Each structure stands twice: as structure tokens, then as C-alpha cells.
Amino acid sequence: MLSRRLLLGGAAGVALTALGGCGVLEPGGAPPASAPNPSVPGHAALAALRIRLDAAASADLTAAQTDLIAWAHGVNDEQHAATSLAVPSARGTTADPSGGASADPSGRASADPSGRASADPSGAASAGPAGTPGASGDPAAGPAGSTTTPSAPDAAKALAALEDALDEASAAFTAQALDASTARPLTWASMAAWCAALRTQLPRPSATREPARGVLRPAPQSAGEAFQAALDAANAALYGLQVAAGHPGLSAENRARLAARMTFWTNLRDTLDALARATSATPSPAPPWFEVARPASAEEAIAMVARLQAAALPILGRSLAHGDHALRQPLAAALADLAVDIPRWGGLLERWPGLPST
């Protein structure tokens, strides 16, 4: 039985169920492939997404959008490494594993024995400098003797194409996560959630972006523990949001937004409870109260919403990674919803939503 004591809020942050026993993954394994694996549908979507990121990087965007695209290139490098693909050595190209620009030299991104993509076996999931977009996007020179260069892609068209690519990649990555034969479903579900969050930021980037970080594989967990942990996280988050919503200084708009978040967590809790009972699991009921530090101001209440939801991410991710297959769909959807919503409350735009940090 998991511990029922969950502490939320407070100046020191939020502590939910500890991810005890996590360890950095061991390096080694097969070298990354230089081309997408046709048996891994998510590979094709990842390659197509890179092409659109490259095009957007060459477009005449705002400074904020350019910075966001540069950050996204760095995350995309990590995604290639984490799914057993060579990291592109330049925009629109792929590293040559036989002697060209190599992928991460530490041996990250080993292939999963099942033929499906595996999570980054080093646990670091950082195949290049954080936020590095790749080689220069300067346009190629024109025909011999020409002094002109091609014009930059139209910004609106490049952004629209990137938005479409993010939608398609999110759908493909989610499908990969839900495939019962996928060995590392959380890796793909996290990538899908990142795509959804990045898409919402493209028109007017405003969120603080998470810097590069080490990533851990979630500790082993039984199916019953996975159901219970996800339920505990949902109940704790819901209780904490109710406390935050009680601050008298919140605006009507923020009260309405908080009510929508409480509805989200209530629906997730009820879905998880029903799934647990359908699989003959017997989840423990939620405790009648949680120890929560009440916010002293409306600003603290808003920050609390971001903190509570961010703290739940790795717990839900762990349950997705090790729980019953029936958990994958609702938890993958929850990761995407949270990755999108947390920045709206002042939280980070995360690189790997749902994966615990080193």
C-alpha cells in the first residue's frame, strides 16, 4: 500500500508520493539509426516535425518566436536520442553514424529489443546543448555568379505548417504510446504532451521554458500501486485546488478558470476509480483532508495551481509507465492537458512532461 500522506502547498513546494528507487538509466546499447524505422510510426512524425521546425527557424518570426523555436530544436534533439534516432547534425539533415556528426557520444538512445523505440537509456535525454537549434539557417547561395539569396519563408505559412506538424506528431506519438507493444509508452506520451504545449505557445510565446535537465526512468510499480498512486495524485491536486480557489482576492476570471481545473481533476479521479474497479482493483478511499498551506495572496494562490499540477505530472507518468494498459489513454490525455495548462498559471513549459528529474 502506498503511503496515504500527501503534503501540498507551502513555501517549500509540493511533495506528493515520492518516486523512491529511481535511478539514472545505464548507458550503452545499439547505436542510433540514421533513418526512421518504418515499424515505429512515431519516427516518421518526428522526422516530419523536424523539417517544419527547420523551416520555421528560417522564417521572419518575432524575436520571442525565434527563441521558442531554438529551444524546441534542442528538445527535438533530445527526442531523437530518446527514440533511438541519430540526432540531426544540421537543420534538415541527419547525423551519419558511420563517421559524420555523431549522436550523443555517451551511448544514449539504445534501441529497444522489441523493435519499438526505447526511452533514453542514459536517463539524461539531452543529446545536444540545451536550446541549440542546430547549424546555421542561412539560406544557400543562388546559382553561380548570383549575388541574391532565397527569401525567408513566409512567417504565417511557416507557423501554420509547424502547427499542423505538431498536431500530427502529437497524434502519432499518442498512438505509439497506446500501442500495447510499445516498450516505453511514457517516452512517447511525454513527447505528445510537449507537442500540445508547444503549439499553444507559438502565436504569442509567454511561458518560462524549462532548461535542460536529467531524466530518470520511473521506479517499478505494480498495476495496483499505479492505480492507487494516480488516484492519490488526483485527489490531492483536487483538494489543493479547492483551497487555492477559496482565496478571496482571486478575480472572477481566475475563479472560473480554477473551477474548470477542478472539473478536470474530478473527471480524471472518477475515470481512474472506475477503471480500477473494472480491473478488480480495490483502491483505497481518499483521506478526508490533506495538510495544505493556505495561500497568503491571490498571487500565491495562482502559483499554487501551477505547483500542484506540476507535482502531479511525474506521478501520473509513473502510473502510465507501469500501470495497466487501460490507464494509458486517460493518463496520456492528462499529461497533455497539464503540459498545456501549467504555463497558463505561471509554471514551466516542460521539456519532458511526466518524466521525473535527476
Side-chain angles (χ1 to χ4, degrees):
M1 175 65 66
L2 294 180
S3 170
R4 302 295 296 160
R5 189 164 184 247
L6 305 175
L7 302 181
L8 302 122
V14 183
L16 298 179
T17 309
L19 292 174
C22 287
V24 177
L25 307 186
E26 297 79 13
S34 61
N37 184 342
S39 69
V40 183
H43 275 182
L46 184 59
L49 176 58
R50 182 57 173 234
I51 292 171
R52 295 305 182 188
L53 279 170
D54 292 344
S58 299
D60 187 17
L61 306 176
T62 67
Q65 289 170 330
T66 298
D67 288 345
L68 179 62
I69 298 299
W71 175 84
H73 264 97
V75 180
N76 187 255
D77 284 350
E78 297 171 6
Q79 293 170 345
H80 276 76
T83 56
S84 301
L85 283 177
V87 177
S89 58
R91 292 176 184 168
T93 65
T94 302
D96 180 1
S98 66
S102 65
D104 182 58
S106 68
R108 296 170 185 157
S110 68
D112 185 78
S114 69
R116 294 291 177 182
S118 71
D120 177 13
S122 72
S126 55
T132 301
S136 170
D138 290 342
S146 172
T147 59
T148 62
T149 57
S151 60
D154 177 81
K157 290 181 180 179
L159 283 179
L162 178 54
E163 288 175 345
D164 289 343
L166 286 166
D167 287 341
E168 293 166 4
S170 184
F173 298 162
T174 298
Q176 194 75 59
L178 300 184
D179 187 331
S181 65
T182 296
R184 300 286 180 260
L186 177 55
T187 299
W188 293 102
S190 180
M191 289 164 55
W194 176 84
C195 287
L198 177 61
R199 192 192 190 290
T200 64
Q201 290 290 317
L202 281 177
R204 289 177 296 278
S206 60
T208 300
R209 298 182 285 277
E210 183 182 34
R213 64 177 170 98
V215 177
L216 296 174
R217 176 184 294 175
Q221 193 176 43
S222 72
E225 289 172 334
F227 272 120
Q228 189 67 62
L231 273 169
D232 286 348
N235 279 313
L238 180 58
Y239 187 95
L241 294 186
Q242 290 169 340
V243 172
H247 194 280
L250 288 171
S251 66
E253 177 185 0
N254 282 330
R255 288 183 189 282
R257 293 171 61 211
L258 257 171
R261 296 317 297 162
M262 288 187 284
T263 297
F264 163 81
W265 283 105
T266 299
N267 291 340
L268 179 61
R269 178 201 62 190
D270 294 347
T271 297
L272 294 173
D273 185 75
L275 285 173
R277 297 181 189 282
T279 57
S280 300
T282 306
S284 300
W289 61 275
F290 296 91
E291 183 178 338
V292 181
R294 296 184 178 277
S297 65
E299 291 74 20
E300 285 188 15
I302 290 172
M304 184 176 174
V305 177
R307 190 169 64 246
L308 290 169
Q309 296 194 115
L313 271 173
I315 299 173
L316 299 182
R318 185 185 182 196
S319 293
L320 187 155
H322 298 301
D324 190 274
H325 185 267
L327 278 176
R328 291 191 187 183
Q329 192 283 324
L331 291 185
L335 292 185
D337 185 286
L338 291 170
V340 169
D341 191 66
I342 289 169
R344 294 171 176 165
W345 299 92
L348 287 176
L349 179 63
E350 295 203 12
R351 304 173 82 89
W352 288 95
L355 282 165
S357 301
T358 53

